[in-house]
Amino acid sequence: MKKKHIHFIGIGGSGMYPLAQILHSRGFYLTGSDNNETETLQAVRDMGIPVYLGQRAENIEGADLIVHTAAIMADNPELIAAKASGVPVLERSELLGIVTSWFDNAICVAGTHGKTTTTSMITQIIYTAGIDLSAFIGGKLPCIHGSGRYGSSDIMTCEACEFVDTFLKLYPDIAVLLNIDADHLDYFGTVDNIIASFHKFAARTTKAVIYNGSDGNTCRAMDGISGKERITFGNTSDCDYYPTDIRHVSGMETHFHLMHHNTDLGEIVLHVAGEHNVLNATAAAAAAMYVGVSFENVAKGLSEFRGAGRRFEKKGEVNGITLVDDYAHHPTELTATLKAAMAMPFRKVWAVFQPFTFSRTAMLLDEFAQALSIPDCTILTDIMGSREKNTYNIFSRQLGEKIPGAIWFPQDESNPETTDTRKYENFKQVCQYVCDHASAGDLVITLGCGDVNKVNKMILQELQKRYEM
């Protein structure tokens, strides 16, 4: 029998790669295309999946189903050809929804912050416990060799993103609600609308909602939710699960005891930084124990977790300068990450931040400035517009002027459209400045959900050239 042929437009995206891993493992024949050469694209090729660089109408030939990301613009020639072909066309989140429906215990993790880390923690726990689970994660997790996995059990872990209500296309059996904060206001408009959307997501859940009882917005989203088990986690003893005796043993190691209904289940050792990760681990433990994992296996899995890709990920150390990369792109995330960094025994903390989307930068400008005032030195790249045009007339300069001592390398404000060449020059300027001024004992952390990780790689290579020859 001929394998069903699925073609992915934008197969290198963080939401497409795990789907490709799942469907490839299930036996579908996949092809894909993308516009930019990346490590992820090479990982797709290494799976034996043909990839076209550049998006053209002929790439879809022979496909039985065509999938595209939300970032693909309506005038994309491959998408135009797909819609004219008569072949079924799905947006990525629609296909992910279908995949979650295959499982009796789909654990879908939602929240403004911490989704990737918490989904990764749950996956690590269940995988370490010897359960053959499936997984969809927005970052790479070493133990599953990527971002996606297809297993034989009825358990799936799935990162559930609220952007443009995509998580309402999923079929969660167990929902984990981490927190609700002001984000994606270009779509939602108000925090009340975000809360209403999370309420709909919780209502879709069939078995249980595990939610942050210490977060007011999350509790509001749970108002009126019935017909399923309600389990809380949080910072205080009025929650079903909560941490006590939190001790920071070293920069990247934290110990705490996990409590359940005032019973001490035992000690957990984490090897990821920050108290926010204690709460993420508490949520992960509650979810894993709900599907039958023992506390002993929860503790074992969390002790082996060293973070997901681009979540305070150490990239190297040269001449005493430590390089870390992190996905934080919202003021709340930046605050948690930078406070954790400043608590570590480094001489100086350098934050290299790439603002992502003009709307978020403009709407949360003061909040960004406050968060980016935490480190010793802040350096800003150009804003990455992604799917947006700069109708807000916002530039890195306006943010930099609000941060004491900040340095920025802005684009030409008279011509706000960023080309690949100009982005490379911008990144090169940032790289040179950091390499000229950072010293032994310093931490340099690149931050953002765009491609600022390329700056991290450039800095690492430049430092190696200067000091390791």
Side-chain angles (χ1 to χ4, degrees), residues 17-335:
Y17 173 51
L19 270 176
Q21 287 189 293
I22 291 168
L23 295 168
H24 178 72
S25 297
R26 203 174 178 200
F28 290 96
Y29 174 69
L30 305 185
T31 57
S33 67
D34 217 306
N35 282 327
N36 297 303
E37 193 63 69
T38 62
E39 290 179 8
T40 301
L41 213 58
Q42 188 54 49
V44 172
R45 288 195 189 95
D46 291 344
M47 292 161 59
I49 298 172
V51 175
Y52 307 105
L53 198 59
Q55 290 168 342
R56 297 174 291 275
E58 58 266 27
N59 292 347
I60 68 168
E61 188 175 340
D64 302 304
L65 174 68
I66 300 165
V67 187
H68 66 95
T69 69
I72 300 295
M73 305 298 282
D75 60 356
N76 182 287
E78 203 164 315
L79 182 59
I80 292 170
K83 290 182 174 179
S85 68
V87 173
V89 178
L90 294 176
E91 196 273 320
R92 177 203 63 84
S93 60
E94 295 172 313
L95 179 58
L96 179 58
I98 292 169
V99 171
T100 60
S101 73
W102 296 343
F103 300 89
D104 292 331
N105 285 292
I107 305 169
C108 297
V109 181
T112 310
H113 318 296
K115 291 185 291 291
T116 299
T117 295
T118 307
T119 309
S120 298
M121 286 177 167
I122 299 169
T123 304
Q124 179 91 46
I125 292 166
I126 296 172
Y127 180 84
T128 303
I131 298 169
D132 191 20
L133 83 163
S134 301
F136 174 96
I137 309 172
K140 296 182 176 70
L141 181 64
C143 74
I144 65 168
H145 309 292
S147 307
R149 184 178 195 276
Y150 183 71
S152 60
S153 76
D154 65 355
I155 297 174
M156 178 187 186
T157 56
C158 179
E159 183 172 334
C161 182
E162 76 278 11
F163 176 62
V164 298
D165 283 327
T166 53
F167 64 173
L168 300 184
K169 297 185 175 76
L170 306 181
Y171 294 90
D173 300 295
I174 301 103
V176 180
L177 305 188
L178 299 171
N179 43 63
I180 300 173
D181 202 349
D183 198 13
H184 304 302
L185 294 175
D186 55 319
Y187 173 75
F188 288 109
T190 66
V191 173
D192 284 344
N193 289 338
I194 303 173
I195 292 169
S197 187
F198 273 81
H199 177 87
K200 291 176 186 175
F201 176 71
R204 290 178 63 83
T205 307
T206 61
K207 294 182 179 179
V209 183
I210 299 166
Y211 66 98
N212 188 344
S214 299
D215 182 68
N217 287 340
T218 304
C219 291
R220 282 180 59 199
M222 288 298 294
D223 285 346
I225 296 294
S226 61
K228 57 214 71 181
E229 196 168 349
R230 295 166 56 122
I231 300 165
T232 58
F233 69 92
N235 294 315
T236 55
S237 60
D238 56 339
C239 296
D240 297 317
Y241 290 89
Y242 59 96
T244 61
D245 191 24
I246 300 170
R247 289 170 292 121
H248 301 289
V249 176
S250 65
M252 294 290 281
E253 185 174 319
T254 302
H255 295 206
F256 70 94
H257 280 248
L258 180 66
M259 305 293 290
H260 181 227
H261 294 154
N262 297 318
T263 298
D264 189 343
L265 298 179
E267 186 176 61
I268 287 175
V269 177
L270 287 182
H271 295 281
V272 287
E275 284 203 21
H276 59 292
N277 278 321
V278 171
L279 205 57
N280 289 337
T282 302
M289 294 177 75
Y290 182 85
V291 294
V293 179
S294 68
F295 171 77
E296 289 71 26
N297 279 325
V298 166
K300 185 174 187 292
L302 286 171
S303 72
E304 294 182 12
F305 179 71
R306 294 297 190 277
R310 298 214 61 212
R311 272 67 183 178
F312 215 91
E313 181 182 8
K314 184 175 178 179
K315 306 301 288 187
E317 185 175 336
V318 182
N319 196 44
I321 300 168
T322 301
L323 284 167
V324 166
D325 185 46
D326 195 273
Y327 197 73
H329 56 282
H330 182 280
T332 302
E333 296 163 355
L334 289 168
T335 298

Side-chain angles (χ1 to χ4, degrees), residues 384-405:
M384 184 173 184
S386 184
R387 56 189 175 268
E388 296 180 344
K389 300 290 186 183
N390 192 5
T391 56
Y392 297 84
N393 198 35
I394 185 78
F395 299 93
S396 294
R397 171 183 55 79
Q398 286 131 290
L399 176 57
E401 288 172 347
K402 288 176 172 284
I403 303 166

